Amino acid sequence: NYFQAVTPKLAMGGEGMYIGANGNMLSSYTAKYSFDNGTEEATDAAPAPGPPEAPSYLAATYNAGQGMLSLNYKRAVTAQRVNIGASLECSPMTLESQVLLGAEFNLTRSKMNVCIDGSGRIQSVLETKLGREPGSPALNFAAELDHGKNVMKFGYGLNIGS
């Protein structure tokens, strides 16, 4: 595989694999365009302290082996706190497609992920740390609601260790 930055904002690459047992050649191609979040100011002020803001990007991948085209978008709404994203996967051969929209919220000691797909299925996960030290236990809650199938699922877990 090979992935190379063509410009500071555009990267392109590909991956190939040959399977000698059955003579198949698998390949995929990717392009990723990164862009700022429009928060840059036209002043000569010093940059804000803390980690740099995560870049937003748009990526396109074509998997020739499966005949799938994938478009992904990620936007850092608030650096280190709120991210949103969207994904569209489609097969040009069969015209089948799937769309996903999601958000991630990072709080001080917890993280919440929410996702909804094109059929109306909603999934969410809440993970919270029970202590401040590294390796402290984490409590997880997960839920799934599928309106089309009239199905509701709920789960929980306790993660002890790192």
Side-chain angles (χ1 to χ4, degrees), residues 67-70 88-92 95-98:
M68 292 294 292
L69 176 65
S70 175
L88 172 65
E89 295 180 355
C90 62
S91 173
L95 298 179
E96 293 178 7
S97 63
Q98 178 180 2

Side-chain angles (χ1 to χ4, degrees), residues 22 26 48 85 121 125 141:
N22 57 10
L26 304 175
R121 184 176 65 177
V125 176
F141 294 99

Side-chain angles (χ1 to χ4, degrees), residues 107-120:
L107 304 173
T108 305
R109 292 185 357 210
S110 61
K111 179 169 63 170
M112 172 96 177
N113 294 320
V114 179
C115 179
I116 183 167
D117 67 11
S119 66

Side-chain angles (χ1 to χ4, degrees), residues 46-134:
E53 188 168 337
S56 298
Y57 69 84
L58 178 66
T61 302
Y62 179 69
N63 186 329
Q66 296 177 343
M68 292 294 292
L69 176 65
S70 175
L71 300 171
N72 299 298
Y73 172 76
K74 180 219 167 211
R75 169 124 176 134
V77 177
T78 306
Q80 307 292 323
R81 290 285 185 188
V82 179
N83 294 311
I84 59 172
S87 176
L88 172 65
E89 295 180 355
C90 62
S91 173
M93 304 296 185
T94 63
L95 298 179
E96 293 178 7
S97 63
Q98 178 180 2
V99 64
L100 298 167
L101 301 172
E104 177 183 69
F105 305 94
N106 292 308
L107 304 173
T108 305
R109 292 185 357 210
S110 61
K111 179 169 63 170
M112 172 96 177
N113 294 320
V114 179
C115 179
I116 183 167
D117 67 11
S119 66
R121 184 176 65 177
I122 302 169
Q123 299 171 324
S124 64
V125 176
L126 173 65
E127 177 183 340
T128 184
K129 300 282 185 187
L130 298 177
R132 294 188 184 270
E133 302 84 29

